[in-house]
Amino acid sequence: MDPEMFLEVANQVTKLKMFPYFDIAHAVLCCLHVREDLGANTHPFSRRHPLTTWICCIFEIFAGGMLASLFLGEPVLSPLKSNQHLLLYTAVWYVIFYCPFDAGYKISKFLPVKLTFSVLKEIYRVKKVYDGVTHSLKIYPSGYLIALIIGTIKGNGAGFCKIFERLLRGVWTPGAIEILQPSFPTKACIAASLIFLLDKKTEFISAPHSLLYFGIVVFFVYFKISSILLGIHDPFAPFENIFCALCMGGLADAITRAFGGSPGSSPSSATQKPTPSSPTPSPDVSSEKKKD
């Protein structure tokens, strides 16, 4: 491809308008996640608790913006100010849960349709990460860690709010918190936030911003398609395993186990011999002789 044409494509990607198509894709996948998380209880729960399902879907759709507003000291409900978006997301919620013959859910689960929505959602995610980093740097110009956190939360707010969304449905799963088991979208959002931060505040990246933005979009889209079609869910896992083995004690623990010790035990406790138990007192021989 001609470099000028490639740069023009990158510029067009950075100027894409998210409303309404990208917002629809984001809302459809969020509603699908809520519905599939209900499992076999989907039909009876949605019929008995339609308000709860609507609140859960809206909460998941706006999770990134609401959580970022909470952390930045802004009104938490400010993402809900757009009535246009609320009406659009409500229509998506109704189609996914209550469409006649369940047609909305079945069409959304059809592989080509789901693949298209997933691609649009990843482009939408990169936009949210960039907006989060930019907005936080306007408030805290030197708050690099804040920009990293807000960019990650904006990109995958639903993952961080999953435990609260389930709590709205009466399910308490504290082990599902994103910090304990970070998913690939969270890791990718951290990496993207870091790259955007370096691009804005340092001179390490000399590439044009549009090319950098387009490259991150390609990365997100590529691995999302790989996850759906090939089952590659976490390409960061091999690098994490190597890093943990070299820098987080994994290699030392393996050496300790190889020499017969247990990881975490002190050297003194590993080499200390068990103290022999005191022998049981033998019967008094002299007394036995006196009895005889």
Side-chain angles (χ1 to χ4, degrees):
M1 182 182 291
D2 185 26
E4 294 184 359
M5 185 181 299
F6 188 79
L7 184 60
E8 180 64 25
V9 171
N11 289 327
Q12 293 299 323
V13 171
T14 58
K15 298 176 183 177
L16 285 173
K17 301 297 181 182
M18 297 295 106
F19 187 85
Y21 303 110
F22 294 91
D23 289 285
I24 291 175
H26 170 64
V28 167
L29 293 179
C30 287
C31 292
L32 283 178
H33 179 267
V34 173
R35 173 162 177 161
E36 292 174 354
D37 198 41
L38 287 169
N41 196 32
T42 299
H43 192 275
F45 186 89
S46 62
R47 269 44 177 184
R48 290 198 306 265
H49 309 286
L51 179 61
T52 303
T53 58
W54 180 80
I55 292 175
C56 290
C57 291
I58 294 298
F59 180 71
E60 181 147 340
I61 291 170
F62 287 104
M66 296 174 70
L67 198 58
S69 298
L70 177 65
F71 285 176
L72 292 176
E74 299 174 347
V76 179
L77 299 180
S78 59
L80 304 177
K81 63 186 177 182
S82 175
N83 295 325
Q84 194 175 22
H85 283 82
L86 280 174
L87 290 174
L88 177 66
Y89 296 153
T90 301
V92 171
W93 157 78
Y94 185 84
V95 168
I96 296 298
F97 279 91
Y98 303 104
C99 186
F101 309 106
D102 218 8
Y105 174 74
K106 293 176 182 177
I107 293 174
S108 301
K109 289 290 292 181
F110 185 51
L111 182 59
V113 176
K114 185 178 181 180
L115 196 62
T116 303
F117 283 154
S118 299
V119 171
L120 296 178
K121 169 67 180 287
E122 295 309 306
I123 299 174
Y124 183 86
R125 191 193 303 275
V126 176
K127 174 67 173 175
K128 289 297 182 182
V129 172
Y130 177 74
D131 290 345
V133 172
T134 304
H135 182 63
S136 60
L137 288 177
K138 288 181 180 178
I139 301 175
Y140 303 102
S142 300
Y144 300 152
L145 180 60
I146 297 175
L148 192 66
I149 293 173
I150 299 302
T152 304
I153 289 174
K154 290 275 285 186
N156 191 33
F160 289 95
C161 293
K162 177 170 54 179
I163 183 174
F164 302 106
E165 182 268 324
R166 288 178 176 175
L167 187 60
L168 293 173
R169 295 187 273 113
V171 180
W172 174 240
T173 55
I177 188 170
E178 190 71 12
I179 297 176
L180 291 177
Q181 299 175 350
S183 59
F184 169 70
T186 297
K187 301 173 186 177
C189 289
I190 294 174
S193 300
L194 181 61
I195 293 174
F196 285 137
L197 183 61
L198 292 175
D199 180 47
K200 285 182 170 296
K201 290 296 183 179
T202 66
E203 300 296 333
F204 292 111
I205 300 177
S206 58
H209 168 72
S210 57
L211 287 179
L212 182 68
Y213 187 96
F214 183 66
I216 295 175
V217 168
V218 171
F219 172 80
F220 274 71
V221 170
Y222 173 77
F223 281 107
K224 187 61 179 181
I225 295 176
S226 300
S227 174
I228 296 175
L229 298 181
L230 304 177
I232 303 175
H233 297 293
D234 192 356
F236 289 106
F239 303 100
E240 291 177 2
N241 294 336
I242 294 174
F243 177 77
C244 291
L246 295 178
C247 304
M248 298 298 173
L251 185 60
D253 292 343
I255 295 175
T256 304
R257 286 192 297 267
F259 285 94
S262 59
S265 60
S266 60
S268 59
S269 62
T271 57
Q272 185 178 3
K273 295 182 180 180
T275 56
S277 58
S278 58
T280 56
S282 58
D284 193 356
V285 180
S286 60
S287 61
E288 291 291 335
K289 290 183 179 179
K290 288 181 181 179
K291 288 182 180 179
D292 292 340

